[in-house]
Amino acid sequence: MNVSIIGIGQTEVKEMWETSIRHLAWYAIEAALDDAHISKVGALFVGNMLSGELSQQNHLGALVADFAGMRGIEAVTVEAADASGGMALRQAILAVKSGLVETALAVGVEKMTDQTGSAVTSAMAYGLDADYEAMQGLTMAGMGALLMRRYMFEHGVGVADFAGFSVNAHANGAANPLAMFRNRIKPERFASAPVVADPVNLFDMAPAADGAAAVIVTSREKGMDMVAQPVEIIGSAAATDTVALHDRQDILRLRAAEISAQKAFAQAGLTPNDIDLFELHDSFTVLAALSLEAAGYAARGEGWQLARDGEIGRNGRIPISTFGGLKARGNPMGATGMYQIVEVARQLRGLAGDCQVADAKIGMAQNLGTSGATAVTHILRAAQ
Amino acid sequence: MEVSRHWRLQAQRYQLVGETCDSCGVKLFPPRDVCLECEAPAQELYTFTGLGEIYSYTTIYDAPAGFEHNTPYMVALIKLEEGPLVTAQLTDIDPSEAVIGMPVEMVTRKLRTDGDEGMIVYGYKFRPAVEELTAV
């Protein structure tokens, strides 16, 4: 790709009553600028899903550029539901790759706690098909439940068979000081957790939260000169599927995730076995299973077995959710994809602290919008 | 809530009017003008029978605004007998009775409300098939 990451930044993920959306974005940007030892960039891409609905604030490109002391630069919001963050990075890479922008900043930011209850549930459902899903009362949790119920039916598994995903996510989140949930959970308690949308329970579903994360990219050559540990982007691909589950031939096949992963592997000249860790989109445990199947780590209907067999842990065949994933780190919707990139970059720099995957050299991040209507896959490599 | 947004979907909400693909003959609901299967134009209207079976289902306890009045409620993917899946609420059913494969039929019900003086949106839901009607 000839594009490298030269700076990363992130805030804690939690309920931050005292912090506005512009401040959240700035805190992540400030950390990324410090990390890259620069103060200006050529263009800003803001990944966000909900600011219009929850904060009565659109036009985040200009707002955040101004607030970050970069008034005058090109800036725009990128929206693709909870894939907004990954898609913002994708746009930053395209900008640098085009040669028209030397250094681009992508920030994912979401402020979810200015409203509560049914207002937040409604806003999150804006990523679904408004006329034919949301108008029937479907929610994000309901969408996860329809997928999980069908997965259980077709593949003969039970709720408890998904427990390994959340147990792993919480174990990793416990080692991440920025994570929303730092408590471990016991597998035997999983199936009896309070139900959100049957069969999805509180331990299946990632929690909504506030948060922001930022990444700065430039050309590989410049990156080598600018920082000690650039991280190379060796695969970047986005794809789409139908927004509504009911429009899919096979709801248990994440076509956009497959397409974007295959393209990214082809660009990198790699196969799934070459990846040292995989930050996947575990907004629901069933999506973790389906993502592993789509990326080629398991046959259809067998993704859940990787969790059962302990293959997704830090020392397993394919470590996932290494900082807690969406489930334990927390899921600030439009920022989630950017957290994934920041986390992979920290792993590849060897600066992941207690979350470190030993000898991590190549990592993958895959960010999904809702049930995978948008999928963005990035493959990163420690600079050589 | 915008009246026109719901008014223009009345044929879909009240009668399940979809489309047939001119080229491959597949039946489409919701209507989409470009065939999902072969990407040819699909503009011939087709009214679905409203019969189908449960493909997947859930009970929603955490309702979005406008749906609080009937929480908890069930939402399902229904496989219509003509082929397509449709997302719809289940009604007149005990959650413990629902099972994948259960025959269901379309009925018209209140979908959502918008406060005491706001618009009420009606549309399709599905209930367990009434045998007297389907077995004749």
Side-chain angles (χ1 to χ4, degrees), chain A residues 130-301:
Chain A
D131 285 344
Y132 292 101
E133 289 186 318
M135 192 45 65
Q136 287 287 335
L138 190 67
T139 59
M140 283 285 277
M143 172 205 83
L146 293 174
L147 283 171
M148 187 172 173
R149 174 92 62 194
R150 187 71 197 178
Y151 191 101
M152 291 162 61
F153 174 80
E154 287 197 24
H155 303 314
V157 298
V159 171
D161 292 318
F162 294 88
F165 290 110
S166 293
V167 170
N168 174 66
H170 278 254
N172 291 339
N176 175 9
L178 301 177
M180 182 168 183
F181 290 144
R182 303 197 59 199
N183 60 315
R184 292 168 177 273
I185 60 175
K186 294 188 170 78
E188 59 272 22
R189 283 191 51 212
F190 177 84
S192 58
V195 172
V196 181
D198 185 30
V200 165
N201 69 38
L202 273 182
F203 286 170
D204 282 302
M205 185 178 175
D210 299 335
V215 170
I216 300 171
V217 291
T218 192
S219 68
R220 184 169 176 274
E221 294 74 27
K222 287 197 187 311
M224 296 296 261
D225 293 340
M226 291 172 75
V227 294
Q229 280 191 301
V231 173
E232 296 174 13
I233 295 166
I234 57 174
S236 171
T240 53
D241 199 348
T242 70
V243 167
L245 280 182
H246 57 234
D247 284 328
R248 296 186 191 169
Q249 287 275 338
D250 179 356
I251 68 169
L252 298 184
R253 187 172 171 196
L254 302 182
R255 287 284 295 149
E258 285 179 15
I259 293 167
S260 69
Q262 285 163 6
K263 279 188 176 177
F265 281 131
Q267 289 165 0
L270 299 174
T271 68
N273 287 333
D274 298 317
I275 304 296
D276 297 319
L277 70 135
F278 180 17
E279 291 303 330
L280 51 68
H281 196 90
D282 57 339
S283 53
F284 297 94
T285 52
V286 67
L287 279 182
L290 292 173
S291 295
L292 286 167
E293 295 170 20
Y297 291 101
R300 179 188 171 84

Side-chain angles (χ1 to χ4, degrees), chain A residues 117-119 121-122 125 129-139 141-143 145-150 153-154 195-200 205 242 244-251, chain B residues 1 5-6 8-9 12-13 29-32 36-37 54-65 67-68 73 75-77 84-89 100 111-112 121 123-125:
Chain A
S118 64
T121 303
S122 294
D129 184 321
D131 285 344
Y132 292 101
E133 289 186 318
M135 192 45 65
Q136 287 287 335
L138 190 67
T139 59
M143 172 205 83
L146 293 174
L147 283 171
M148 187 172 173
R149 174 92 62 194
R150 187 71 197 178
F153 174 80
E154 287 197 24
V195 172
V196 181
D198 185 30
V200 165
M205 185 178 175
T242 70
L245 280 182
H246 57 234
D247 284 328
R248 296 186 191 169
Q249 287 275 338
D250 179 356
I251 68 169
Chain B
M1 191 191 280
R5 198 187 134 206
H6 301 288
R8 68 174 167 261
L9 291 175
Q12 284 71 46
R13 294 260 169 81
F29 190 89
R32 46 170 50 235
L36 196 60
E37 307 266 340
I54 295 176
Y55 187 81
S56 190
Y57 63 97
T58 180
T59 303
I60 290 179
Y61 296 92
D62 183 14
F67 292 88
E68 299 96 332
Y73 56 91
V75 176
L77 287 170
L85 290 176
V86 59
T87 301
Q89 285 191 29
I100 289 175
L111 287 182
R112 61 164 290 171
V121 179
Y124 51 81
K125 295 187 183 182

